[in-house]
């Protein structure tokens, strides 16, 4: 009996020793690699601190411009904006009062809104209809027309400045608000159609067929099915177009009315004519910057949803 137990013990030990190399190999495979461990640790608190520092660095020009707009012209000329922290009681809102009294800046803000809002709405509306048509409607030459739209994406704005200027001059809309709106709309449509067509094409065909079986026409199908599903992409397009038109200076400098220019051109003219009126330029530049930032943060959820939906699709 003793011999049998010893043999069994010996056999079990041998089996355990035989199995140990495989177990060790499995443990090695289960242990994450050094790169994976570094990535895991970097994804924790260290990465959050790094992203916070990047965000603060990105916002620093905006904060500096805000603090400069709250200082007197003499203090702005004498020291940097960070000196405001040593004398916070000297903060004043007189610069914004001067800004409101400056009719050139206030009129330019109104002109900017008058240009940006129609340009954004026209691109969103026309691009949505065209994207739906290219995605789900059959018409002669559809694919060739879409290739033409894609080809227009590579046409730079600078190439069209001279011929479009001659065209607008011939029809009498050069240096008018209408001309600026039409130019921004024309150059915003190719990207809008390309983006929305690709997004709408990913909508399940079964949804559209079920709506058609219920008697829905193309307009009802577009407004009740496609638009709600394409909301994130449309919101992303609207934000892109709004930011592009609001911050544009080249097109506005050439096509806008010199008597009512947008804010970018008005600020440039203020610098050229009155190089030392920083008490008006600082608050004007901050207002021009903070409005698109406010629009972006107000619709950031829709923007992120549209970007993520496009990535998943």
């Amino acid at each position: 009996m003793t011999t049998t137990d010893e043999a069994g013990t010996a056999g079990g030990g041998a089996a355990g020793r035989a199995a140990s190399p495989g177990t060790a190999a499995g443990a090695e495979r289960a242990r994450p690699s050094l790169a994976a461990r570094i990535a895991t640790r970097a994804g924790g608190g260290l990465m959050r601190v790094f992203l916070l520092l990047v965000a603060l660095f990105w916002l620093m020009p905006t904060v500096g411009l805000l603090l400069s707009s709250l200082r007197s012209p003499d203090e702005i000329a004498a020291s940097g904006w960070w000196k405001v922290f040593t004398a916070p009681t000297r903060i004043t809102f007189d610069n914004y009062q001067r800004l409101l009294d400056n009719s050139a800046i206030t009129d330019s803000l109104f002109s900017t809104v008058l240009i940006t809002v129609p340009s954004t709405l026209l691109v969103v509306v026309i691009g949505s209809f065209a994207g739906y048509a290219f995605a789900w409607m059959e018409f002669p030459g559809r694919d060739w027309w879409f290739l033409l739209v894609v080809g227009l994406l590579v046409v730079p704005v600078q190439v069209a400045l001279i011929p479009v200027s001659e065209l607008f001059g011939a029809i009498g809309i050069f240096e008018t608000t209408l001309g600026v709106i039409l130019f921004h709309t024309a150059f915003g449509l190719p990207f809008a159609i390309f983006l929305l067509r690709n997004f709408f094409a990913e909508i399940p065909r079964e949804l559209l067929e079920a709506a058609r079986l219920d008697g829905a026409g193309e307009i009802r199908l577009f407004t009740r099915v496609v638009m709600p599903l394409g909301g994130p992409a449309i919101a992303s397009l609207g934000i892109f177009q709004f930011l592009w038109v609001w911050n544009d200076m080249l097109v506005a400098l050439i096509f806008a009315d010199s008597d009512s220019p947008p804010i970018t051109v008005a600020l440039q003219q203020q610098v050229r004519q009155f190089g030392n009126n920083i008490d008006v330029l600082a608050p004007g530049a901050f207002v021009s910057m903070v409005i698109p930032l406010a629009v972006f943060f107000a619709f950031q959820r829709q923007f992120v949803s549209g970007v993520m939906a496009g990535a998943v699709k």
Side-chain angles (χ1 to χ4, degrees):
M1 188 68 178
T2 303
T3 305
T4 305
D5 293 339
E6 292 176 354
T9 303
R17 289 191 298 270
S20 60
T23 305
E28 289 293 333
R29 288 193 297 268
R31 176 184 296 180
S33 63
L34 178 60
R37 293 198 300 271
I38 294 176
T40 302
R41 293 181 180 179
L46 183 61
M47 180 58 67
R48 293 189 181 94
V49 172
F50 174 74
L51 293 177
L52 178 61
L53 293 176
V54 171
L56 292 176
F57 183 78
W58 182 74
L59 289 174
M60 188 177 296
T62 305
V63 175
L65 187 59
L66 171 61
L67 296 178
S68 296
S69 67
L70 298 175
R71 306 177 71 205
S72 65
D74 296 336
E75 292 178 343
I76 295 175
S79 59
W81 58 265
W82 53 88
K83 294 294 184 179
V84 73
F85 296 107
T86 62
T89 57
R90 304 186 68 174
I91 289 178
T92 177
F93 290 92
D94 293 342
N95 293 341
Y96 287 92
Q97 184 61 45
R98 296 189 186 95
L99 178 69
L100 295 177
D101 295 337
N102 190 315
S103 60
I105 300 297
T106 54
D107 293 344
S108 67
L109 284 173
F110 177 75
S111 299
T112 306
V113 174
L114 195 61
I115 292 172
T116 304
V117 173
S119 300
T120 303
L121 292 178
L122 284 173
V123 168
V124 169
V125 173
I126 299 175
S128 299
F129 280 111
Y132 171 76
F134 279 114
W136 293 109
M137 296 180 66
E138 296 290 342
F139 55 88
R142 184 185 67 173
D143 295 336
W144 289 105
W145 283 109
F146 184 69
L147 288 177
L148 177 62
V149 171
V150 174
L152 291 176
L153 288 172
V154 301
V155 177
V157 175
Q158 293 80 0
V159 172
L161 292 178
I162 294 178
V164 173
S165 298
E166 295 178 353
L167 174 63
F168 283 1
I171 61 180
I173 61 173
F174 185 72
E175 289 193 350
T176 62
T177 301
L178 177 61
V180 182
I181 293 173
L182 291 178
F183 192 96
H184 283 303
T185 302
F187 272 85
L189 278 176
F191 175 73
I193 296 172
F194 174 76
L195 175 68
L196 296 180
R197 182 265 178 191
N198 292 339
F199 192 93
F200 293 160
E202 297 295 331
I203 296 176
R205 182 180 296 272
E206 291 77 10
L207 290 177
L208 304 180
E209 292 178 350
R212 288 192 177 96
L213 290 176
D214 291 337
E218 296 296 338
I219 299 297
R220 189 179 183 87
L221 189 66
F222 176 76
T223 56
R224 295 298 181 88
V225 178
V226 176
M227 286 289 287
L229 293 176
I234 294 173
S236 300
L237 172 64
I239 292 174
F240 276 124
Q241 180 69 11
F242 182 90
L243 296 179
W244 177 51
V245 178
W246 183 277
N247 295 319
D248 170 73
M249 183 176 177
L250 176 63
V251 176
L253 192 62
I254 296 175
F255 293 98
D257 187 359
S258 57
D259 296 330
S260 57
I263 185 65
T264 53
V265 178
L267 291 175
Q268 185 268 341
Q269 291 175 349
Q270 291 285 322
V271 174
R272 183 179 60 187
Q273 295 175 1
F274 313 103
N276 58 351
N277 61 339
I278 191 65
D279 55 327
V280 174
L281 291 175
F286 178 74
V287 171
S288 174
M289 180 186 298
V290 77
I291 291 178
L293 282 177
V295 171
F296 174 79
F297 284 117
F299 297 96
Q300 64 174 335
R301 180 168 303 187
Q302 291 81 359
F303 177 78
V304 173
S305 299
V307 172
M308 293 301 295
V312 172
K313 290 179 183 303

